[in-house]
Amino acid sequence: MKGFTIDLKEVTNLQSFSGVIPLFPLATVVFFPNTLLPLHVFEPRYRQMVSDIINAERIIGMVLLKPGWEKDYQGNPEIYKVACMGRIVSVETLEDGRFNVVLYGLKRVRILEIVKDSPYRLARVKILEDMHGTNEEAYRERIIELVSKWNGMLGKEHESHRINIDTRLPLENLTDAFASLNISNVFEKQELLEEVSVPKRAEKVISHLETRLQVISAVAKRRNQILEKRNLN
């Protein structure tokens, strides 16, 4: 979202946080702190949710639906217990009552209880703070090394698959940004969202990158073998 600027000091201020947030469950979205998420809100219950909070805390909890949600989507299908809450930093009200909003990710939260379930769920939550460890710079340097190696192995025809990420970010933000932008599997994303240990998150990101590199190396090797065989013939 180029050109999008916000006052982070104001947006991230949680001094008067009530501890209760509306939940917006989706089957294909896992949200992370310090990232931006555009949403098109069209369902009546979630349009009501935006209307209710736009002049209040402006906070929404984005939560992943568990498999099997299709059977009860119009009700309250099962959800994961760890979510990410974000604050609305941009809202566009459309003529027919729909909304285009942008959320800024604030904190991981654990859902303690549902205090209201209609027309949308309200949940009491506990903020989950990052747990730091020693030698985090070594993890960050390893991620930078692997990202550079990945980008270096891609030819011009695959530039769209480059990993474009600010590697100067602190490790906790770097791992979340990577998960948000470069991991497609929502269940793998959910695992990273649930991991509050920054070193353990980094280890998962490193493992993901190493697996990627192993796959692309194997593909490149196989391609070269085929080309060599063709040339010999």
Side-chain angles (χ1 to χ4, degrees), residues 78-202:
E78 285 193 65
I79 54 177
Y80 286 88
K81 295 300 183 183
V82 174
C84 178
M85 65 180 191
R87 179 163 270 144
I88 295 176
V89 293
S90 173
V91 58
E92 176 189 12
T93 306
L94 304 178
E95 290 183 1
D96 59 1
R98 293 173 295 132
F99 293 97
N100 289 324
V101 303
V102 178
L103 297 182
Y104 180 84
L106 297 173
K107 295 283 187 179
R108 288 168 165 79
V109 294
R110 182 175 300 281
I111 298 168
L112 301 178
E113 63 173 327
I114 302 298
V115 297
K116 176 185 170 185
D117 61 13
S118 180
Y120 53 86
R121 284 180 268 198
L122 279 177
R124 191 176 309 281
V125 298
K126 175 186 177 182
I127 291 175
L128 302 176
E129 298 290 358
D130 284 331
M131 296 175 60
H132 292 272
T134 59
N135 208 21
E136 288 190 6
E137 185 59 24
Y139 285 109
R140 197 174 73 86
E141 289 176 359
R142 178 59 175 161
I143 291 172
I144 293 171
E145 176 190 354
L146 293 169
V147 167
S148 178
K149 189 173 182 180
W150 169 267
N151 288 340
M153 293 183 71
L154 297 177
K156 288 186 177 180
E157 69 274 19
H158 298 299
E159 282 188 348
S160 61
H161 295 288
R162 287 176 60 87
I163 297 172
N164 296 309
I165 195 169
D166 185 355
T167 53
R168 298 168 298 178
L169 290 169
L171 186 63
E172 63 270 26
N173 295 354
L174 179 60
T175 54
D176 284 345
F178 180 88
S180 176
L181 296 171
N182 296 286
I183 293 180
S184 57
N185 185 294
V186 291
F187 302 112
E188 191 174 348
K189 282 187 171 186
Q190 182 65 26
E191 285 184 10
L192 283 162
L193 181 67
E194 293 180 4
E195 184 55 74
V196 295
S197 166
V198 175
K200 288 182 179 179
R201 272 207 314 269

